[in-house]
Amino acid sequence: MEPQLSTFSTILAYSIFIIASPIATFFVTKFFFFEGLLGVSSTGANIWSAVMAVVMLHIAMGLYIYRAYFEAERVKPEKVD
Amino acid sequence: MADTFTEGSPVYGPFFGVMGAASAIIFSSLGAAYGTAKSGTGIAAMSVMRPELIMKCIIPVVMAGIIAIYGLVISVLIVSNITEPPSYTLYKGFLHLGAGLAVGFSGLAAGFAIGIAGDAGVRGTAQQPRLFVGMILILIFAEVLGLYGLIVAIYLYAK
């Protein structure tokens, strides 16, 4: 694949992951885990789901930083004169 | 309806909660917008010469976006808890206003820090790639300021 296209698709995939994963985590943990399985009250479920969403957000960002850190090590700039 | 209002739960009680929800998302978005714009100009300037570093240098933009998600989380939490006045006490309204202001202004501060440090960081990384680790550390410490505000806001909300 062209380097430009592969960079774009990687960044697009990570962006969607970073934006969507906390929102999905919030609602999935709220409705299925805390309210469904554990039977926590609505306020408690909201708070713990929010904490889970923030944790998920940082995991997603950490994955992106990890990828970016080792991506650029591999891609050496090609000198074109 | 009106005779059920008491001193502890007046008709204007939800005003404070609504203002808390609004200020949470307004101020943290303001900080995130400043961080994105300021580091975006840095990325645009440095990627003219070093386009292979774009993936590394998008990180300040991602971190600025996370600040806005902090505000969004607290805002959604507050809005989901606002009800009609007699069951919504003034005390709860004050707590929600405090939670919104805590995450809002911390997000504003963190966004400013990310913008300025990210702008200088990406310009420097283009010239000296070993600066990258330092830039990431500075950005993490700037972003943690917003996280402190989020922790205080969740603590206030849960009271």
Side-chain angles (χ1 to χ4, degrees), chain B residues 56-81:
Chain B
K56 274 184 170 180
C57 293
I58 294 284
I59 289 174
V61 175
V62 173
M63 288 194 162
I66 283 173
I67 298 293
I69 297 182
Y70 290 163
L72 179 73
V73 164
I74 291 300
S75 201
V76 166
L77 282 184
I78 292 172
V79 168
S80 73
N81 213 14

Side-chain angles (χ1 to χ4, degrees), chain A residues 46-47 58 61 64 68-69 72, chain B residues 55-56 66 70 77 80 132 158:
Chain A
N46 274 339
I47 291 167
H58 284 91
M61 189 188 69
Y64 179 77
Y69 186 71
Chain B
M55 180 135 176
K56 274 184 170 180
I66 283 173
Y70 290 163
L77 282 184
S80 73
F132 180 71

Side-chain angles (χ1 to χ4, degrees), chain B residues 4-68:
Chain B
T4 56
F5 293 136
T6 58
E7 200 180 4
S9 56
V11 65
Y12 57 85
F15 173 78
F16 295 101
V18 169
M19 282 299 131
S23 59
I25 192 67
I26 288 170
F27 290 116
S28 53
S29 293
L30 207 57
Y34 183 84
T36 307
K38 193 84 163 64
S39 52
T41 57
I43 294 167
M46 79 86 201
S47 59
V48 172
M49 297 307 290
R50 300 288 300 274
E52 74 275 3
L53 283 179
I54 284 182
M55 180 135 176
K56 274 184 170 180
C57 293
I58 294 284
I59 289 174
V61 175
V62 173
M63 288 194 162
I66 283 173
I67 298 293

Side-chain angles (χ1 to χ4, degrees), chain A residues 17-36 41-57, chain B residues 69-81 150 154 157:
Chain A
F17 182 58
I18 287 171
I19 291 171
S21 69
I23 297 170
T25 308
F26 181 82
F27 288 108
V28 167
T29 53
K30 176 175 157 59
F31 288 113
F32 291 105
F33 188 64
F34 289 113
E35 286 183 355
S41 69
S42 178
T43 308
N46 274 339
I47 291 167
W48 286 110
S49 308
V51 171
M52 289 295 158
V54 170
V55 168
M56 187 65 212
L57 184 64
Chain B
I69 297 182
Y70 290 163
L72 179 73
V73 164
I74 291 300
S75 201
V76 166
L77 282 184
I78 292 172
V79 168
S80 73
N81 213 14
L150 179 80
I154 286 182
Y157 172 81

